[in-house]
């Protein structure tokens, strides 16, 4: 249509040109003509018009602005001019203009369609905000890099600019825009269909894989990853414990390392921690001061300790035993009220209730972990550091409460164990005993006072504390009784000081601040102070903590230097003993010895991977033949050899080999390979290394070897693949050359000779020594051996008469042999004749087979001709060649699996076992024992204690 329309316009232009050329003068502007008419107007010879300049707006809008513009060469039109032949520039220009608008329109329509399709697909995509942690961040930032909306708007703005710059061609574009609109609608319909198909397929896929399944799968993978790296993280935390002592301080010049200065109480607490590891029983070697908190069960000693620490840090229970092991609490002053364990880097904020609950739970877990099975309490100490503003510096040890009766659920020796733990701490002559007495019960019911009187009869290091004074004042009829208890007149126990405190109203949810306010309010209104029964410095836990701290530091200053001198003497004695007993050995403690043994074991495992393939195949083939030789000879070869012709022999052999391969052979081969790997691994682990061998590692290596072998499991898929390989190997009967034939004969001779030797030994044991041994070694036959010998001789005579006798005796033959023996005065039983015949015939058969094997040495030529025109048949040689080839192929397959898979898996198991042993201190103590190890351990601990004590004494002098 648009071509017809353009042709009509061109004809009208031509008619107007003819009119102008015939004499009509006028100035028709060239810009107002149609494109085709304008090109004709330029070429008319009678029109002397100048070419107009190109308009700037046209140059900016045209898609051909990047092309170079050449001047148009004009050629005059001659007579006989045919106008249609000179229309080719117009047609070219029209097509170029059409191409321009097509490109522009396609860009606009395509952009709009792409934007609409993208919005539809974007709406169909499910919300992945819950999984944003899985997908990389760059995926969620794609809208910042690709903005389809802005690109569409830019395209439409370009269209508007183009339309404004070329208003004269809007009418010509009308038809083209209609076509473009139709194309856009078609594209939209295709996009809708594609979006519908996409949404349908996506909905089906979404129904198949739900979000819950994805979450479960991700959680399972996350759990496996956490379990895998948890052990590595714990080891790294232990290694980086010392690095946490350094902090970074930033200033204008850069970053500098500043070493943290430890407080005196922290240094002293470290000495006590080392001592607790060195001497768990706290014998006389440990005479360093500490505050030992003892008391009857539920007397309030834990509450007193919490008041001193200004936080409820211990587990609580109504009437039941909560303190099941000693807890060493080191109090020190600091800007923040926090608590942390000696072997952990986590800090518990004691101002937050959730951290306090977590701390109490952790202490309870550690106590239960320390208590061994069948026990109620444990002597192992839990070390806890508490820092906070206003805390008095001291070290306190909270002991389990002393009980009078063992109740149900407790171990029978609980009472004696608690007494022994308390005595072990209190017998230290420099320990300060903080004796806690419940004021709400009768003093006569107290047990701990008698125990304290035994440990400190003169009361030079005992501080007596009466708790629950508020209840005592209400319940006791005579207040003077409380005064007698405070002054120590009611019982013979003496003390350095006497204090009365209140530990709350009995509500476990009370805060420390509330208890302190209640305590101060009580003593302000108490009759005990108003009547001067108690002095002001003898009440409240604040005064108690000040008095205990002063007494503790006074005891430390008086005894610490003496203890340092005693450890110096101990160190000198240990070093002298080491030099005398082990002058050429380094002083390696248990951990250092374990690391050395670990390196040796890993080197030996690496040596296992360097075993040559030839060695593997040789030992595998030999071990496998030793395992299956009995079955091959007794169950395959001997039954088949009893047949009369070669066809029956081959059929019997094939059937028995097939049954053997399907049921037993692969399993036997895998067992042999696993045992071979164990033997080689044991050989490398136990093989002495000459002068460098240290027998102190033998027990550890043996334990590592046994545990690694126990954890190692052979691949289950090996049997299936091995069964196919062995079956194919046994089906092959084609011996290719004489060398293989000779090797099979040699293999057969060795097997038969070994069986013949075993048979001859069995016959010798049956009939006794021969005449040579009887004369030379003075040996005699027993009566039973004589009977066997006579029977053997009779059976050998029968075999000489018929060398092709079958394997079994007939009943008449047994009767004949028995009667012949009876005629010579020998009484025999038929079962004895059968047993003797079995060994005699077996020896006869093996000797005949060996002679036949010797004849088959020249039978390879007949084998190639399938024994045609030959009386020689060597099917037994072919059988042993098949067995030999199967053994070689099986050994090669097992060797590949060993070197490629099993050795690496075993090495991995060894590393895991060593890591587990390294974290188990009890295992190391059990496996690395001896005087040398214990002496090195003691020497290391004494040196460490002496160094820490010297540093503490130096800091103590500097503080003075």
């Amino acid at each position: 249509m648009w071509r017809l329309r353009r042709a009509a316009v061109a004809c009208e232009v031509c008619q107007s040109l003819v009119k102008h050329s015939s004499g009509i003068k006028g100035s028709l502007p060239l810009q107002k003509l149609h494109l085709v008419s304008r090109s004709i107007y330029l070429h008319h010879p009678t029109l002397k018009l100048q070419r107009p300049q190109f308009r700037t707006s046209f140059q900016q809008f045209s898609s051909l602005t990047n092309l170079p513009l050449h001047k148009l060469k004009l050629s005059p039109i001659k007579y006989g001019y045919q106008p249609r032949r000179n229309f080719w520039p117009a047609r070219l220009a029209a097509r170029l203009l059409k191409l321009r608008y097509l490109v522009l329109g396609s860009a606009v329509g395509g952009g709009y369609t792409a934007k609409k399709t993208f919005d539809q697909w974007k709406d169909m995509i499910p919300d992945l905000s819950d999984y944003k942690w899985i997908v990389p961040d760059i995926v969620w930032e794609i809208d910042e890099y690709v903005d389809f909306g802005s690109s569409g708007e830019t395209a439409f703005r370009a269209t508007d600019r183009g339309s404004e710059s070329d208003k004269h061609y809007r009418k010509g574009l009308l038809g083209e825009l209609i076509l473009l609109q139709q194309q856009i609608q078609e594209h939209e319909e295709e996009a809708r269909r594609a979006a519908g198909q996409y949404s349908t397929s996506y909905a089906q896929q979404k129904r198949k894989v739900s979000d819950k399944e994805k979450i479960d799968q991700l959680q399972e993978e996350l759990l496996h990853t956490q379990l895998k790296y948890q052990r590595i993280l714990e080891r790294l935390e232990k290694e980086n414990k010392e690095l946490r002592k350094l902090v970074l301080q930033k200033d204008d010049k850069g970053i500098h390392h500043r070493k943290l200065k430890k407080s005196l109480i922290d240094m002293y607490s470290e000495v006590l921690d080392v001592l607790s590891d060195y001497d768990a029983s706290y014998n006389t070697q440990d005479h360093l001061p500490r505050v030992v908190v003892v008391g009857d069960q539920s007397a309030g000693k834990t509450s007193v300790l919490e008041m001193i620490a200004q936080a409820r840090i211990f587990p609580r229970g109504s009437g039941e035993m909560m303190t099941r092991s000693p807890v060493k609490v080191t109090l020190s002053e600091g800007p923040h009220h926090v608590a942390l364990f000696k072997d952990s880097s986590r800090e518990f904020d004691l101002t937050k209730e959730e951290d306090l609950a977590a701390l109490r739970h952790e202490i309870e877990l550690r106590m239960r972990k320390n208590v061994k099975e069948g026990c109620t309490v444990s002597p192992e100490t839990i070390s806890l550091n508490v820092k906070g503003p206003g805390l008095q510096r001291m070290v306190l040890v909270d002991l389990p409460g002393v009980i009078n009766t063992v109740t149900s659920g407790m171990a029978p020796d609980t009472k004696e164990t608690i007494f022994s733990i308390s005595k072990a701490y209190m017998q230290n002559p420099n320990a300060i005993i903080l004796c806690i007495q419940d004021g709400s019960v009768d003093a006569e019911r107290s047990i701990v006072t008698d125990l304290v009187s035994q440990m400190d009869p003169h009361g030079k290091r005992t501080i007596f504390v009466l708790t629950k004074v508020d209840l005592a004042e209400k319940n006791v009829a005579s207040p003077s009784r409380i005064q007698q208890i405070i002054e120590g007149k009611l019982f013979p126990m003496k003390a350095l000081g006497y204090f009365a405190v209140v530990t709350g109203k009995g509500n476990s949810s009370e805060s420390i601040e509330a208890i302190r306010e209640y305590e101060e309010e009580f003593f302000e209104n108490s009759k005990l102070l108003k009547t001067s029964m108690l002095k002001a410095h003898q009440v409240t836990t604040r005064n108690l903590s000040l008095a205990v701290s002063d007494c503790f530091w006074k005891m430390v200053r008086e005894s610490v230097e003496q203890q340092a001198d005693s450890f110096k003497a101990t160190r000198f004695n240990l070093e002298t003993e080491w030099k005398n007993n082990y002058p050429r050995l380094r002083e390696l403690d248990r951990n250092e010895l374990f690391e050395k043994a670990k390196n040796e074991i890993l080197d030996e495992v690496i040596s296992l991977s360097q075993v040559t393939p030839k060695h593997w195949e040789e030992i595998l083939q030999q071990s496998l033949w030793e395992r299956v030789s009995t079955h091959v000879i007794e169950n395959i070869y001997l039954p088949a050899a009893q047949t009369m012709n070669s066809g029956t022999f081959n059929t019997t052999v094939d059937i028995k080999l097939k049954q053997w391969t399907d049921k037993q052979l692969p399993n036997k081969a895998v067992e042999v390979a696993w045992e071979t790997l164990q033997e080689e691994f044991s050989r490398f682990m136990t093989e002495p290394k000459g002068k460098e061998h240290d027998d102190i590692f033998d027990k550890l290596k043996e334990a590592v070897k046994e545990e690694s072998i126990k954890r190692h499991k052979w691949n289950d898929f090996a049997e299936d693949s091995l069964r196919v390989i062995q079956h194919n190997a046994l089906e092959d009967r084609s011996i290719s050359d004489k060398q293989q034939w000779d090797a099979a004969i040699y293999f057969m001779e060795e097997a038969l000779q070994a069986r013949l030797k075993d048979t001859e030994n069995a016959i010798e044991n049956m009939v006794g020594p021969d005449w040579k041994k009887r004369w030379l070694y003075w040996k005699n036959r027993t009566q039973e051996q004589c009977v066997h010998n006579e029977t053997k001789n009779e059976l050998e005579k029968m075999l000489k008469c018929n060398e092709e006798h079958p394997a079994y005796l007939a009943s008449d033959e047994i009767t004949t042999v028995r009667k012949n023996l009876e005629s010579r005065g020998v009484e025999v039983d038929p079962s004895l004749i059968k047993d003797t015949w079995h060994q005699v015939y077996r020896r006869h058969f093996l000797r005949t087979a060996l002679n036949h094997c010797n004849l088959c040495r020249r039978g390879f030529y007949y084998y190639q001709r399938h024994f045609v025109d030959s009386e020689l048949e060597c099917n037994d040689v072919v059988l042993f060649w098949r067995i030999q080839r199967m053994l070689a192929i099986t050994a090669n397959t097992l060797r590949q699996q060993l070197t490629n898979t099993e050795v690496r898996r075993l090495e991995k198991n060894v590393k895991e076992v060593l890591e587990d042993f390294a974290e188990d201190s009890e295992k190391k103590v059990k496996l690395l024992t001896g005087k040398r190890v214990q002496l090195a351990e003691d020497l290391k601990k004494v040196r460490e204690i002496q160094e820490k004590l010297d540093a503490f004494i130096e800091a103590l002098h500097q503080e003075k």
Side-chain angles (χ1 to χ4, degrees):
M1 295 295 294
W2 62 274
R3 288 185 177 179
L4 293 175
R5 196 179 297 115
R6 287 177 183 271
V9 175
C11 293
E12 293 177 0
V13 173
C14 294
Q15 293 176 3
S16 63
L17 287 176
V18 173
K19 293 178 182 180
H20 283 293
S21 61
S22 61
I24 299 175
K25 298 180 181 180
S27 58
L28 183 63
L30 183 63
Q31 289 80 359
K32 294 182 178 182
L33 294 179
H34 193 269
L35 179 63
V36 180
S37 303
R38 191 167 58 185
S39 62
I40 300 173
Y41 194 87
L42 291 173
H43 288 81
H44 200 279
T46 59
L47 296 176
K48 298 180 180 179
L49 297 174
Q50 296 180 353
R51 175 184 291 180
Q53 300 294 330
F54 289 100
R55 296 174 61 180
T56 307
S57 62
F58 174 78
Q59 291 179 353
Q60 293 178 354
F61 177 73
S62 175
S63 61
L64 303 175
T65 53
N66 294 330
L67 299 177
L69 299 175
H70 302 284
K71 293 184 178 181
L72 197 60
K73 295 182 181 180
L74 301 176
S75 58
I77 302 177
K78 300 179 182 179
Y79 279 114
Y81 166 69
Q82 297 179 0
R84 64 181 182 83
R85 295 180 179 176
N86 291 331
F87 280 160
W88 65 269
R91 287 197 298 271
L92 178 62
R95 291 181 179 179
L96 291 176
L97 291 175
K98 176 186 175 183
L99 179 63
R100 176 182 64 180
Y101 292 115
L102 282 176
V103 172
L104 181 61
S106 299
V108 174
Y112 176 75
T113 304
K115 179 179 181 302
K116 192 170 182 180
T117 304
F118 173 74
D119 292 338
Q120 292 177 355
W121 288 359
K122 187 176 181 181
D123 294 337
M124 290 186 291
I125 295 176
D127 187 13
L128 299 176
S129 59
D130 296 335
Y131 310 104
K132 194 171 181 180
W133 60 277
I134 305 174
V135 184
D137 295 338
I138 189 64
V139 176
W140 305 111
E141 298 174 359
I142 190 171
D143 291 337
E144 299 180 4
Y145 300 97
V146 181
D147 193 352
F148 292 98
S150 61
S151 61
E153 294 175 0
T154 304
F156 284 116
R157 285 197 298 270
T159 306
D160 295 338
R161 289 197 301 269
S163 60
E164 290 177 0
S165 63
D166 200 357
K167 296 179 181 180
H168 300 286
Y169 299 102
R170 288 185 178 180
K171 294 181 179 180
L173 290 174
L174 183 60
E176 299 175 3
L177 291 177
I178 292 173
L179 295 175
L180 290 174
Q181 186 176 4
Q182 294 176 356
Q183 295 177 358
I184 290 172
Q185 293 177 357
E186 293 176 357
H187 286 305
E188 289 177 355
E189 291 177 358
E190 293 177 358
R192 292 193 192 97
R193 288 195 296 271
Q197 295 176 358
Y198 176 80
S199 61
T200 303
S201 62
Y202 180 78
Q204 295 176 356
Q205 184 178 3
K206 185 177 180 181
R207 284 194 297 270
K208 292 180 181 178
V209 183
S210 63
D211 293 341
K212 185 177 180 180
E213 293 177 355
K214 293 181 180 179
I215 293 174
D216 295 340
Q217 184 178 3
L218 291 172
Q219 288 180 350
E220 185 177 356
E221 293 177 357
L222 181 61
L223 180 61
H224 285 299
T225 305
Q226 289 177 347
L227 292 175
K228 181 179 179 181
Y229 292 105
Q230 182 179 3
R231 188 178 301 165
I232 301 175
L233 291 176
E234 292 176 356
R235 187 170 65 253
L236 290 176
E237 285 183 358
K238 188 181 296 183
E239 293 175 354
N240 294 335
K241 183 179 179 181
E242 295 298 328
L243 295 178
R244 295 192 188 99
K245 299 176 183 179
L246 301 177
V247 294
L248 296 176
Q249 185 181 13
K250 189 174 183 180
D251 54 11
D252 296 335
K253 296 182 180 180
I255 300 176
H256 302 281
H257 292 279
R258 179 173 59 88
K259 187 175 181 180
L260 290 176
K261 184 179 180 181
K262 295 181 181 179
S263 62
L264 278 175
I265 192 63
D266 290 335
M267 297 171 67
Y268 187 76
S269 178
E270 288 183 359
V271 175
L272 295 181
D273 290 336
V274 176
L275 277 171
S276 64
D277 296 337
Y278 169 68
D279 188 15
S281 61
Y282 289 101
N283 55 24
T284 55
Q285 291 181 351
D286 180 15
H287 291 167
L288 290 175
R290 54 178 60 80
V291 180
V292 180
V293 184
V294 295
D296 297 330
Q297 184 178 353
S298 302
K301 56 183 180 56
T302 300
S303 299
V304 173
L305 194 55
E306 287 180 338
M307 291 293 293
I308 296 175
Q310 300 180 11
R312 290 191 172 274
I313 58 178
F314 291 103
R316 311 187 71 82
S318 58
E320 63 174 313
M321 180 181 293
M322 299 303 299
T323 306
R324 296 179 178 271
S325 65
V327 181
K328 181 178 75 68
V329 182
T330 303
L331 301 179
S332 61
E333 192 172 7
H336 305 288
H337 203 186
V338 294
L340 68 159
F341 293 96
K342 178 189 70 173
D343 54 351
S344 176
S345 60
R346 179 185 176 184
E347 287 189 352
F348 296 88
D349 190 352
L350 301 183
T351 60
K352 297 180 180 179
E353 187 59 35
E354 56 269 17
D355 280 18
L356 280 171
L359 177 61
R360 291 192 291 266
H361 181 66
E362 181 68 20
I363 293 176
E364 185 176 0
L365 289 179
R366 288 174 179 255
M367 286 182 180
R368 296 187 181 276
K369 183 179 179 182
N370 290 343
V371 176
K372 297 181 180 179
E373 186 177 358
C375 300
T376 307
V377 292
S378 170
E380 298 184 14
T381 306
I382 299 174
S383 182
L384 180 68
N385 294 338
V386 179
K387 298 181 181 181
L391 294 182
Q392 300 297 320
R393 301 179 302 170
M394 68 183 90
V395 177
L396 303 99
V397 181
D398 186 19
L399 300 179
V402 179
I403 60 175
N404 189 20
T405 305
V406 177
T407 60
S408 61
M410 293 184 179
D413 60 342
T414 302
K415 180 179 178 180
E416 290 76 12
T417 305
I418 295 176
F419 268 87
S420 63
I421 294 174
S422 302
K423 288 181 179 180
Y425 277 90
M426 288 189 294
Q427 69 184 2
N428 179 3
N430 296 322
I432 300 171
I433 302 174
L434 195 63
C435 181
I436 308 298
Q437 172 67 37
D438 188 355
S440 62
V441 298
D442 295 335
E444 292 80 6
R445 297 169 55 186
S446 176
I447 308 171
V448 70
T449 52
D450 295 336
L451 182 62
V452 173
S453 298
Q454 295 176 9
M455 295 294 103
D456 185 23
H458 301 289
K460 293 183 179 180
R461 51 188 180 90
T462 301
I463 297 177
F464 181 81
V465 181
L466 184 66
T467 62
K468 305 177 184 180
V469 182
D470 53 340
L471 298 178
E473 188 178 15
K474 292 179 182 179
N475 298 332
V476 177
S478 176
S480 60
R481 184 175 177 85
I482 299 177
Q483 184 180 5
Q484 292 177 357
I485 296 174
I486 293 297
E487 294 177 354
K489 297 179 181 179
L490 194 60
F491 37 77
M493 189 194 77
K494 299 180 181 179
L496 190 63
Y498 298 88
F499 289 86
V501 297
V502 174
T503 56
K505 300 179 182 180
N507 187 4
S508 60
S509 61
E510 286 182 295
S511 63
I512 297 297
E513 290 77 9
I515 296 174
R516 180 171 295 171
E517 292 176 359
Y518 171 73
E519 182 185 37
E520 293 178 355
E521 181 181 357
F522 168 77
F523 282 115
E524 286 178 0
N525 303 322
S526 176
K527 297 179 181 179
L528 299 175
L529 284 179
K530 291 181 179 179
T531 57
S532 300
M533 294 182 182
L534 295 176
K535 299 179 181 179
H537 68 274
Q538 289 182 307
V539 296
T540 71
T541 52
R542 186 190 300 274
N543 294 332
L544 172 64
S545 62
L546 291 173
V548 172
S549 178
D550 292 340
C551 185
F552 169 76
W553 283 107
K554 180 181 179 182
M555 190 73 74
V556 167
R557 291 186 176 92
E558 292 176 353
S559 61
V560 67
E561 293 186 359
Q562 180 181 0
Q563 292 299 307
D565 294 338
S566 65
F567 278 107
K568 286 180 181 179
T570 305
R571 174 180 177 178
F572 177 77
N573 295 334
L574 292 175
E575 287 178 348
T576 304
E577 184 179 359
W578 181 273
K579 291 178 181 179
N580 294 333
N581 295 327
Y582 313 103
R584 298 182 180 180
L585 295 178
R586 291 178 55 196
E587 302 166 1
L588 299 178
D589 61 353
R590 186 170 281 109
N591 293 330
E592 293 171 341
L593 287 172
F594 181 82
E595 290 298 325
K596 184 179 178 181
K598 178 181 177 181
N599 295 331
E600 290 186 4
I601 294 173
L602 293 178
D603 292 341
E604 291 164 357
V605 175
I606 294 175
S607 301
L608 183 64
S609 62
Q610 296 176 353
V611 177
T612 61
K614 182 179 179 182
H615 179 72
W616 278 120
E617 293 183 9
E618 288 178 354
I619 58 178
L620 284 171
Q621 188 170 352
Q622 182 180 358
S623 302
L624 183 59
W625 172 243
E626 291 176 357
R627 181 66 62 87
V628 303
S629 59
T630 302
H631 182 84
V632 171
I633 299 296
E634 302 294 336
N635 299 335
I636 298 178
Y637 173 65
L638 291 179
Q642 306 302 321
T643 58
M644 303 304 296
N645 55 62
S646 61
T648 308
F649 177 87
N650 293 331
T651 302
T652 305
V653 166
D654 291 341
I655 293 174
K656 291 186 176 294
L657 286 178
K658 181 67 168 58
Q659 294 175 352
W660 184 43
T661 307
D662 291 339
K663 297 180 180 179
Q664 300 179 4
L665 182 57
N667 188 16
K668 292 288 184 182
V670 171
E671 289 180 1
V672 167
W674 177 218
E675 291 175 1
T676 303
L677 179 60
Q678 295 182 31
E679 291 174 0
E680 288 296 307
F681 180 57
S682 302
R683 181 173 65 85
F684 279 103
M685 292 285 288
T686 59
E687 187 177 25
K689 304 298 186 295
K691 295 182 179 179
E692 297 180 358
H693 178 71
D694 195 347
D695 55 358
I696 202 172
F697 300 143
D698 292 344
K699 190 183 295 186
L700 175 61
K701 290 182 178 180
E702 184 68 22
V704 172
K705 182 194 71 174
E706 293 178 357
E707 185 66 23
S708 302
I709 292 175
K710 185 187 300 182
R711 296 186 183 185
H712 184 81
K713 294 183 179 179
W714 198 272
N715 192 356
D716 297 334
F717 299 102
E719 291 188 17
D720 298 333
S721 59
L722 196 59
R723 181 178 292 106
V724 177
I725 294 173
Q726 291 172 342
H727 182 71
N728 295 334
L730 289 173
E731 283 186 347
D732 189 8
R733 301 181 183 179
S734 58
I735 304 177
S736 59
D737 53 13
K738 184 69 164 57
Q739 184 178 2
Q740 294 183 5
W741 181 269
D742 294 338
I745 291 177
Y746 180 74
F747 176 64
M748 179 179 175
E749 284 182 344
E750 282 189 340
L752 295 179
Q753 287 175 359
R755 294 295 162 180
L756 180 59
K757 185 178 180 181
D758 294 340
T759 304
E760 289 178 347
N761 291 333
I763 293 175
E764 184 179 355
N765 294 331
M766 183 184 296
V767 302
D770 56 2
W771 64 270
K772 185 178 180 180
K773 291 184 178 179
R774 292 199 303 270
W775 280 94
L776 293 177
Y777 301 106
W778 294 84
K779 292 183 178 180
N780 295 321
R781 290 174 177 169
T782 62
Q783 184 64 28
E784 184 180 359
Q785 288 177 345
C786 292
V787 173
H788 277 287
N789 184 53
E790 293 294 334
T791 307
K792 176 182 74 73
N793 295 333
E794 188 67 25
L795 293 174
E796 285 179 348
K797 292 178 183 179
M798 186 171 59
L799 275 177
K800 288 181 180 179
C801 297
N802 184 13
E803 293 185 354
E804 296 182 358
H805 194 283
Y808 300 98
L809 285 174
S811 58
D812 55 347
E813 292 176 335
I814 296 176
T815 304
T816 303
V817 171
R818 185 166 60 85
K819 288 182 178 181
N820 293 337
L821 292 175
E822 288 178 355
S823 64
R824 295 201 300 267
V826 180
E827 297 290 335
V828 294
D829 189 74
S831 61
L832 187 144
I833 297 175
K834 292 180 180 180
D835 294 341
T836 309
W837 167 256
H838 175 72
Q839 299 297 335
V840 171
Y841 180 81
R842 182 185 180 89
R843 182 177 63 178
H844 168 72
F845 176 81
L846 291 175
R847 288 175 177 175
T848 305
L850 283 172
N851 294 331
H852 178 71
C853 182
N854 192 23
L855 293 175
C856 287
R857 291 183 182 275
R858 54 183 177 84
F860 181 69
Y861 170 75
Y862 300 102
Y863 165 78
Q864 290 179 325
R865 299 178 58 188
H866 304 287
F867 299 103
V868 178
D869 299 332
S870 175
E871 296 180 356
L872 184 65
E873 292 182 356
C874 299
N875 294 314
D876 49 359
V877 177
V878 177
L879 169 62
F880 278 91
W881 178 83
R882 294 165 68 182
I883 298 294
Q884 186 182 29
R885 186 169 180 273
M886 182 274 298
L887 293 175
I889 294 176
T890 303
N892 181 269
T893 304
L894 294 174
R895 188 267 307 167
Q896 292 180 3
Q897 186 176 1
L898 280 173
T899 55
N900 296 336
T901 306
E902 303 302 331
V903 172
R904 296 179 182 177
R905 292 177 60 223
L906 181 61
E907 182 179 354
K908 181 180 178 182
N909 291 336
V910 170
K911 291 181 180 179
E912 291 179 355
V913 170
L914 289 173
E915 290 179 359
D916 294 342
F917 284 5
E919 296 176 0
D920 192 349
S921 57
E922 295 182 359
K923 183 77 72 173
K924 287 191 289 187
V925 171
K926 182 179 179 181
L927 297 177
L928 293 173
T929 58
K931 181 180 178 181
R932 169 184 159 193
V933 181
Q934 191 60 42
L935 185 59
E937 284 284 315
D938 294 344
L939 187 55
K940 179 185 176 182
K941 290 294 183 182
V942 169
R943 284 175 178 171
E944 186 178 1
I945 294 170
Q946 183 195 348
E947 291 174 358
K948 291 183 178 296
L949 275 176
D950 292 342
F952 172 74
I953 293 171
E954 182 180 357
L956 189 64
H957 291 327
Q958 290 178 358
E959 188 182 63
K960 290 182 180 180

